[in-house]
Amino acid sequence: MAAKQSAKTIIVSNRLPVRIVKEDGKLAFTPSEGGLATGLGSIYKQGDNIWLGWPGAVLNEKEETQTVKELKAQNMAPVFLTDEDIELYYEGFSNETLWPNFHYFNQFSEFNQEYWESYKAVNQKFADQILKNANANDTIWIHDYQLLLLPALVRAQRPDISIGFFLHIPFPSYESFRLLPWRRELLLGMLGADFLGFHTYDDTRHFLSSVSRLAGIGNEHGHINYNNRQIMADALPMGIDYDKYAQVAAAPETLEREVRYRTSIGSEKLVLCIDRLDYSKGIPQRLKAFEKLLEKHPEYLEKVSILMVVVPSRDQVGKYKELKEEIDLLVGRINGRYSRLSWTPIHYFYRSFPLHALSAFYRMAHVCLVSPMRDGMNLVCKEFIASKLDKKGVLVLSEMAGASKELSDALLVNPNNRHQMVEAIREALEMDEEEQMQRMTVMQNTIKRYNIYHWVDLFMNRLEIVKKEQRSLTTKLLDEKSTETVVSAYKKSKNPLVFLDYDGTLQGFFGDPAAAKPDPELYKLVNGLTEKAHVVIISGRDKTTLGEWFKDCKVDLIGEHGVWLKGHKEEWHTITNLTDAWKEGIGEVLDGYVARTPGSFIEEKDYSLVWHYRKVETGLGELRTRELTSHLKYLASNQNLQVLEGDMVVEIKSTEINKGRAARNWMKRYEAADFIMAAGDDWTDEDTFKAMPNDAYTIKVGSSNSAAKFSVNSYEDVRALLKSMVS
C-alpha cells in the first residue's frame, strides 16, 4: 500500500516572489523584497511547500522549461501567461474593473465582457496548476483580487481540501460592489474558501453585506453556511517584519547614506511621502495641502521640505499618464513659486530606491505623511515607525487607510479635508519630543506584536479552526447498518426518551402551514412510540395548534421553540418570565415587508413573530429575506431578541428561548432515560442536538452540516426509522 503523502501548504498569488529579467538572451531571477514575500518565506521555503504564481515575464517554450527547473529548486511553481492574458486579465479586468471599483473610483471602472472572459480563463489556468500540485490533505492559501474566482474552481474539484483566501485591498461597500455586472459570480468564487481574511472589520462587514444582499446567503457573526459548509470571514490586519526594518535602520550602509543625504539637503525639516503611482494614493491632494501650508504659514519657507518618492507604475495607461502629468505640473508650480537658491520645497523622485536608501529617508524624516484616498492597509507607515530607533517623528495618516484602525496614536486625517491636512502637518512639525516619543512607543509596541509572522500564524490557525468546525459538523448518512444500531439500542432500552421536531421532520412543508396537520400514518407512528417511550414533540408551532393536533396522544409538547412546555395531562407553562412588549414595534416593521412582498404573511405566536415567504415569487422572497434579516438584526441588537432563519421563514424571539434549553429541562425530568434520540431539520434544532448527551442518537433531516451525528434526506426517512423502531 502506498505511503500517505504528507500535507503541504500551497501559496497562490498573481506574482511569484521572484522577478525574471531577460539579459543578453539569458534569464536572471531576482528575489522580491515585498512584505508578503518576507512573511510567507517562513512557509513556502519549508519541506514540500510551494508558492504558485506568474513569474513576471512572457516566455518562449525553451525559457519556460528552464524556468520550471530553476523555480522548482526554490519551492516555486510557475503559471505561464501570454501577452493577451496580461493585457485582458491583469491590466484589464483586475486593474481597470476591480481595482477602481474596490477603491471607490467607479468613474474609472471598465465593464468589458472580453476582460471578464479572460479573467475567468486565467483563474482556471491557476486552478489547473493547483490541482496538478495539490493532494487531498494539503492547505491552499490564495491571495488577492486577481484570483477571486479561484477558491470555487479548486473547491469544485477538491470538495474537502482546506482553502484560505486573503484580500489585500479594501472590499467595497455593497453600493459600490453591486455596480459590477459579475458581482454574484465573484462572491460565489470567494465562497469556495473556508476562511476569508480582510485587513479591517469594515472590509469584512462590507463583504458579508454583499454576500447577504447580492448572493442571498445569510451569515451569523461572520459565519456563513453555504453548500452545507461553514465558512468564516474575519479581519486580520497584515503587519511587517518589524525586526528587519529596525535592523536595516541601524545598518552602517543606512547611516552612511543618511549622512550623505542630510549633507546635501541641509538642516530643514523633512515631510516624507512614499507611494506607488496610483489615483487611490491621494498624491495631488497631498501636494495641494502642502502648498496651502506654505501659503498660510510662511514661517515654514526655507525650513520645511517634502521628500516625495513616487514609484513608477502603469504610466503608459491613460489615467496613470494623466496622473503623472498632474503631479509633475503641481511639483513644478509649487517649486517654481516658492523655491530659493538654497532651498527646494519638494524633492521629487519618480523612481524606486533600494531598502537602505528608503531606511535612510525614514530616519531623516520628521514627519511621514501617508494620505491615501483609500488603501487596504498601507505598510509604508509601519515601516516608518519600525525605522524610528530614537522614537522621534510623527505619523500623519489617512483614516481611509486600513492601518489607521491599529495606529490611533498617529495624527489621523480625512484626505478630502485640505484644511485638516494642513493643520495636521503643522501640528506634527510643532509637536514636542516628549509627545512624539510617547506616541511612537505605543505604535512601535503595536506593530512589533502584530508583525507579519503573527499575521501568518493567526491566519493559518483560524483556517485550521474553521476546518475543525466543519469536521465536527459533518454528519454520517443514516445507512442500513446505522439504522440497525439505532433500532437495536431502542428495543433493548427500558426508558427511552425521544425528541421529535415537527415541520420538515415528521411532516413535509405546505404553502399553508395549517395544512401540515398530522395524517393517519403519523398518528399511528407516534402512538406506537408512546407505548414504550417518553415522546416529546419539540416544535416552533404555537401551543394552540400543537395542543389541538396531539390532544389524543400520550406525548409531551414543547411549543414556539421552547417558550411553552406541557407534559402529558399537564397545563401549558413557560420556563421563565417573558415579555411580548417588543412585538408591537417589530410587528409594524414586518407589516411593512408584507405590504411590499405579495404572498408573504406574518404568523403571530405568544412570544415570537414569524415572517413566511414560501408563497412568494422565487428571487423576490430571498431578496426580501436578506433585507428583513439585516433590518431585524439591527433592531434586535439592544432588545435581547434573536433572529432565526428557518425553511422559508424568518422568526424573531427572545434570546432566552431555545429548543436546547427546553430539551435540557425535559432530560432532568426523565433522568432515568437509557436511550435518547433527537431529530430535527433546521438551525433551531441545532440547539437541541448540542444539548444532547454524547451517547444520544441525533439525526438531522436534509443537510449533512450539523452538530447531529447522523443525517437523512427527508421526513419520509424519519418515518421509516420510527416504523422500524415500533415494529
Side-chain angles (χ1 to χ4, degrees):
M1 196 172 108
K4 187 182 177 185
Q5 291 170 304
S6 60
K8 64 179 178 291
T9 298
I10 302 175
I11 294 162
V12 190
S13 63
N14 174 61
R15 287 288 296 270
L16 285 171
V18 70
R19 198 159 48 92
I20 295 182
V21 182
K22 295 184 185 183
E23 294 174 352
D24 302 324
K26 293 182 179 178
L27 299 180
F29 295 80
T30 313
S32 162
E33 290 189 340
L36 192 62
T38 303
L40 296 178
S42 60
I43 292 183
Y44 84 91
K45 291 176 182 175
Q46 294 175 0
D48 295 330
N49 297 346
I50 51 175
W51 191 320
L52 197 146
W54 180 53
V58 176
L59 308 171
N60 61 38
E61 198 172 321
K62 185 183 173 186
E63 290 167 336
E64 285 186 1
T65 305
Q66 182 192 340
T67 301
V68 169
K69 195 174 175 183
E70 181 82 29
L71 293 178
K72 190 174 182 181
Q74 300 180 44
N75 282 32
M76 294 184 222
V79 177
F80 295 113
L81 303 181
T82 65
D83 285 318
E84 186 179 290
D85 290 336
I86 300 306
E87 183 189 343
L88 300 177
Y89 144 80
Y90 181 70
E91 297 291 353
F93 196 82
S94 296
N95 288 318
E96 292 189 6
T97 304
L98 294 179
W99 179 272
N101 177 268
F102 280 40
H103 287 85
Y104 299 87
F105 284 86
N106 284 300
Q107 68 274 28
F108 296 153
S109 285
E110 302 263 346
F111 302 134
N112 181 320
Q113 187 65 27
E114 197 179 4
Y115 288 174
W116 168 243
E117 295 301 332
S118 177
Y119 186 81
K120 287 196 293 183
V122 172
N123 270 251
Q124 187 62 57
K125 273 189 186 182
F126 274 82
D128 294 342
Q129 193 65 27
I130 290 171
L131 294 167
K132 276 183 203 169
N133 287 277
N135 300 316
N137 54 343
D138 289 346
T139 297
I140 318 290
W141 188 359
I142 298 165
H143 291 267
D144 228 359
Y145 65 104
Q146 301 95 344
L147 302 172
L148 297 179
L149 300 176
L150 189 52
L153 293 173
V154 176
R155 176 74 55 205
Q157 299 301 316
R158 300 284 170 86
D160 298 321
I161 205 164
S162 183
I163 303 175
F165 177 86
F166 193 88
L167 184 69
H168 292 267
I169 65 173
F171 194 92
S173 75
Y174 158 77
E175 289 296 343
S176 181
F177 189 75
R178 71 192 290 214
L179 300 176
L180 293 168
W182 311 278
R183 60 210 184 179
R184 185 177 166 84
E185 293 92 324
L186 292 166
L187 288 173
L188 296 183
M190 294 174 74
L191 290 176
D194 298 299
F195 178 64
L196 296 121
F198 302 87
H199 280 306
T200 70
Y201 171 70
D202 283 345
D203 296 333
T204 311
R205 190 167 51 82
H206 291 156
F207 170 73
L208 292 171
S209 173
S210 286
V211 167
S212 174
R213 299 167 78 177
L214 296 173
I217 302 164
N219 64 85
E220 190 75 41
H221 305 304
H223 285 81
I224 304 159
N225 185 40
Y226 174 59
N227 281 353
N228 283 336
R229 204 164 41 85
Q230 277 279 352
I231 302 164
M232 187 179 178
D234 201 1
L236 300 178
M238 183 177 170
I240 61 167
D241 185 347
Y242 185 94
D243 292 338
K244 172 186 168 184
Y245 284 93
Q247 286 161 12
V248 170
E253 185 183 342
T254 302
L255 301 178
E256 183 272 323
R257 282 176 181 268
E258 183 186 9
V259 171
R260 191 152 38 94
Y261 298 161
R262 179 49 79 183
T263 304
S264 301
I265 288 175
S267 60
E268 66 208 43
K269 286 189 172 183
L270 284 179
V271 177
L272 177 65
C273 309
I274 301 175
D275 295 284
R276 185 173 62 79
L277 180 70
D278 195 89
Y279 46 77
S280 68
K281 302 299 182 183
I283 301 170
Q285 291 84 350
R286 186 183 308 155
L287 289 169
K288 288 170 186 173
F290 184 65
E291 182 179 33
K292 181 61 82 175
L293 176 81
L294 297 179
E295 191 181 292
K296 199 173 174 185
H297 298 281
E299 66 270 22
Y300 291 132
L301 293 171
E302 300 185 62
K303 291 181 182 173
V304 177
S305 294
I306 277 192
L307 195 163
M308 188 170 82
V309 177
V310 178
V311 179
S313 171
R314 308 182 74 220
D315 52 13
Q316 297 310 304
V317 176
K319 289 182 282 289
Y320 289 79
K321 201 173 182 180
E322 289 168 19
L323 176 63
K324 167 76 164 54
E325 288 168 2
E326 184 184 3
I327 292 167
D328 292 349
L329 286 170
L330 281 168
V331 171
R333 186 180 84 195
I334 296 165
N335 280 347
R337 181 179 175 189
Y338 290 108
S339 284
R340 305 286 189 269
L341 281 173
S342 59
W343 175 70
T344 304
I346 301 168
H347 302 283
Y348 169 40
F349 302 94
Y350 185 67
R351 60 177 184 267
S352 55
F353 282 87
L355 182 57
H356 287 283
L358 293 174
S359 187
F361 293 158
Y362 289 140
R363 286 180 57 95
M364 292 162 61
H366 295 79
V367 178
C368 184
L369 178 55
V370 179
S371 57
M373 310 308 286
R374 188 72 62 165
D375 214 338
M377 176 48 63
N378 193 296
L379 299 178
V380 166
C381 55
K382 294 187 175 185
E383 293 167 11
F384 168 74
I385 292 165
S387 304
K388 284 298 183 185
L389 305 183
D390 62 0
K391 301 186 189 299
K392 293 174 189 171
V394 183
L395 174 63
V396 178
L397 179 60
S398 164
E399 61 192 32
M400 305 298 175
S404 67
K405 304 294 187 289
E406 296 173 89
L407 303 176
S408 54
D409 281 83
L411 299 180
L412 300 180
V413 294
N414 179 343
N416 298 295
N417 186 336
R418 194 176 304 170
H419 172 74
Q420 188 189 29
M421 292 257 287
V422 169
E423 287 308 305
I425 298 168
R426 189 192 62 75
E427 184 184 344
L429 291 168
E430 300 299 330
M431 188 180 290
D432 64 67
E433 285 190 357
E434 186 181 353
E435 186 179 350
Q436 288 181 37
M437 292 170 81
Q438 281 175 352
R439 288 172 177 263
M440 191 62 73
T441 300
V442 173
M443 292 191 290
Q444 284 185 347
N445 289 339
T446 298
I447 64 171
K448 203 181 292 184
R449 180 178 177 189
Y450 298 104
N451 61 27
I452 184 75
Y453 303 108
H454 174 86
W455 174 76
V456 170
D457 289 344
L458 200 56
F459 187 96
M460 298 307 277
N461 288 341
R462 297 311 291 270
L463 178 55
E464 179 55 30
I465 287 167
V466 174
K467 290 309 285 184
K468 279 181 180 170
E469 277 186 19
Q470 287 179 0
R471 286 192 286 270
S472 73
L473 292 173
T474 302
T475 62
K476 181 187 172 194
L477 194 67
L478 191 72
D479 56 17
E480 197 175 325
K481 190 177 177 185
S482 305
T483 301
E484 283 175 14
T485 304
V486 176
V487 171
S488 172
Y490 174 77
K491 290 190 171 178
K492 285 177 187 171
S493 66
K494 297 280 190 289
N495 292 296
L497 175 60
V498 180
F499 293 93
L500 298 169
D501 172 46
Y502 186 76
D503 292 284
T505 303
L506 293 177
Q507 181 63 284
F509 289 104
F510 291 79
D512 177 6
K517 60 186 178 184
D519 52 76
E521 182 193 51
L522 182 54
Y523 278 129
K524 186 178 177 184
L525 282 174
V526 171
N527 290 329
L529 278 175
T530 59
E531 287 177 14
K532 176 175 183 176
H534 296 292
V535 177
V536 186
I537 307 291
I538 182 166
S539 170
R541 290 273 180 177
D542 65 272
K543 72 177 195 301
T544 307
T545 302
L546 282 178
E548 179 60 32
W549 284 353
F550 292 99
K551 64 185 178 186
D552 297 324
C553 298
K554 192 180 152 189
V555 294
D556 299 340
L557 300 173
I558 297 174
E560 295 188 25
H561 300 299
V563 174
W564 291 104
L565 316 175
K566 179 184 181 302
H568 180 54
K569 293 185 177 175
E570 290 178 10
E571 295 301 314
W572 286 102
H573 63 279
T574 59
I575 296 179
T576 184
N577 291 324
L578 298 169
T579 176
D580 64 354
W582 55 269
K583 282 167 66 177
E584 186 177 349
I586 299 290
E588 288 174 5
V589 172
L590 292 176
D591 283 336
Y593 279 86
V594 169
R596 56 198 183 94
T597 315
S600 69
F601 63 92
I602 301 167
E603 179 188 0
E604 183 172 352
K605 301 177 185 177
D606 292 319
Y607 293 102
S608 65
L609 291 172
V610 189
W611 186 72
H612 290 259
Y613 63 97
R614 193 171 298 280
K615 294 180 179 177
V616 177
E617 176 191 352
T618 303
L620 178 62
E622 287 73 13
L623 177 67
R624 288 284 188 268
T625 302
R626 302 273 60 82
E627 291 177 22
L628 176 61
T629 304
S630 179
H631 194 165
L632 289 178
K633 282 182 178 175
Y634 171 73
L635 295 173
S637 58
N638 60 357
Q639 292 194 59
N640 201 28
L641 299 172
Q642 60 181 321
V643 181
L644 297 169
E645 290 184 58
D647 195 318
M648 311 294 268
V649 297
V650 175
E651 182 161 0
I652 184 160
K653 62 187 179 68
S654 168
T655 52
E656 295 172 30
I657 303 161
N658 68 60
K659 289 182 176 180
R661 184 175 178 185
R664 275 191 290 272
N665 189 286
W666 240 256
M667 285 189 288
K668 280 182 188 170
R669 282 190 177 205
Y670 300 118
E671 285 182 340
D674 55 356
F675 171 95
I676 300 177
M677 186 179 99
D681 75 308
D682 69 18
W683 286 101
T684 63
D685 298 302
E686 293 300 311
D687 293 319
T688 308
F689 300 145
K690 288 170 187 172
M692 295 293 114
N694 290 333
D695 58 355
Y697 296 95
T698 48
I699 301 163
K700 179 69 178 276
V701 183
S703 163
S704 60
N705 191 290
S706 170
K709 290 177 184 171
F710 299 102
S711 64
V712 294
N713 292 320
S714 74
Y715 78 95
E716 289 159 332
D717 296 322
V718 176
R719 290 195 181 192
L721 172 64
L722 299 180
K723 207 174 281 181
S724 300
M725 288 164 64
V726 300
S727 63

